[in-house]
Amino acid sequence: MKRWLALALLLPLVGLALSIAAREAGLSGASEWRIPIAGYDPRDPIRGRFIQFRYDWRVAGDPALCGKAACGLCLSEEAGEIVATMAAPGTACPAYVDVNGSSIRRQSRAPGQAPDFSSRIFVSETRAPALEDMLRRQPMVVVARLTRQGRLVNDRIEPAN
């Protein structure tokens, strides 16, 4: 009986460890992107200290490719500017982003115009005041990692310089 109880208590910890290991393995080969951000909302009192932001990249391509059900982006860097080209889901490109799998929100604009893309990142209570001050005074970027599966994971926010 004690063995079963010990196993029942140990099983969730093993599951958590495997989940963490799988996530870290997925991020180990991820490419790093420094994406300019704008439109900050530094406080979300219901969910803790999150900073909501809009990706400040140039959006290109056909807006119809980013329909309601699925959306993909192909990231590239042109003349120091990040360009997000709307692409059909599963399109082959060197830096494909699965918008739905990356927790990126789309805000539709006028018909025929490219949508805005936004996301958020958690900030610790100790770092939040200094970061909020920097967000008000200087251009900032989100440092994100793009996995081979197309998931864009926000890592941190830092000055654009």
Side-chain angles (χ1 to χ4, degrees):
M1 177 77 164
K2 288 183 181 182
R3 287 185 192 171
W4 288 108
L5 180 61
L7 184 62
L9 293 174
L10 190 60
L11 195 58
L13 294 175
V14 170
L16 179 63
L18 290 173
S19 174
I20 291 170
R23 180 176 165 86
E24 288 301 314
L27 289 175
S28 66
S31 59
E32 188 174 277
W33 287 82
R34 293 176 51 85
I35 304 169
I37 58 174
Y40 323 110
D41 181 6
R43 291 186 201 98
D44 188 348
I46 296 172
R47 295 186 187 100
R49 276 290 229 226
F50 283 92
I51 293 181
Q52 176 91 22
F53 58 87
R54 180 176 44 83
Y55 291 105
D56 196 16
W57 51 30
R58 182 167 53 93
V59 179
D62 182 7
L65 290 173
C66 256
K68 292 182 181 181
C71 184
L73 299 171
C74 190
L75 294 185
S76 61
E77 189 169 352
E78 298 173 10
E81 177 183 42
I82 302 294
V83 179
T85 304
M86 288 178 275
T91 299
C93 78
Y96 178 78
V97 177
D98 175 8
V99 172
N100 297 342
S102 300
S103 300
I104 296 174
R105 289 183 278 289
R106 294 175 283 197
Q107 285 96 20
S108 298
R109 298 188 331 190
Q113 282 190 330
D116 279 333
F117 296 93
S118 65
S119 190
R120 68 183 189 162
I121 190 169
F122 177 78
V123 178
S124 70
E125 288 289 329
T126 56
R127 190 164 176 249
L131 191 55
E132 286 179 27
D133 185 50
M134 283 192 294
L135 285 167
R136 289 186 183 101
R137 292 186 293 111
Q138 59 189 336
M140 302 291 279
V141 296
V142 63
V143 179
R145 292 189 278 173
L146 181 59
T147 68
R148 289 183 212 114
Q149 295 78 26
R151 187 163 175 251
L152 189 66
V153 180
N154 299 323
D155 191 33
R156 65 188 180 278
I157 293 178
E158 59 186 38
N161 322 6

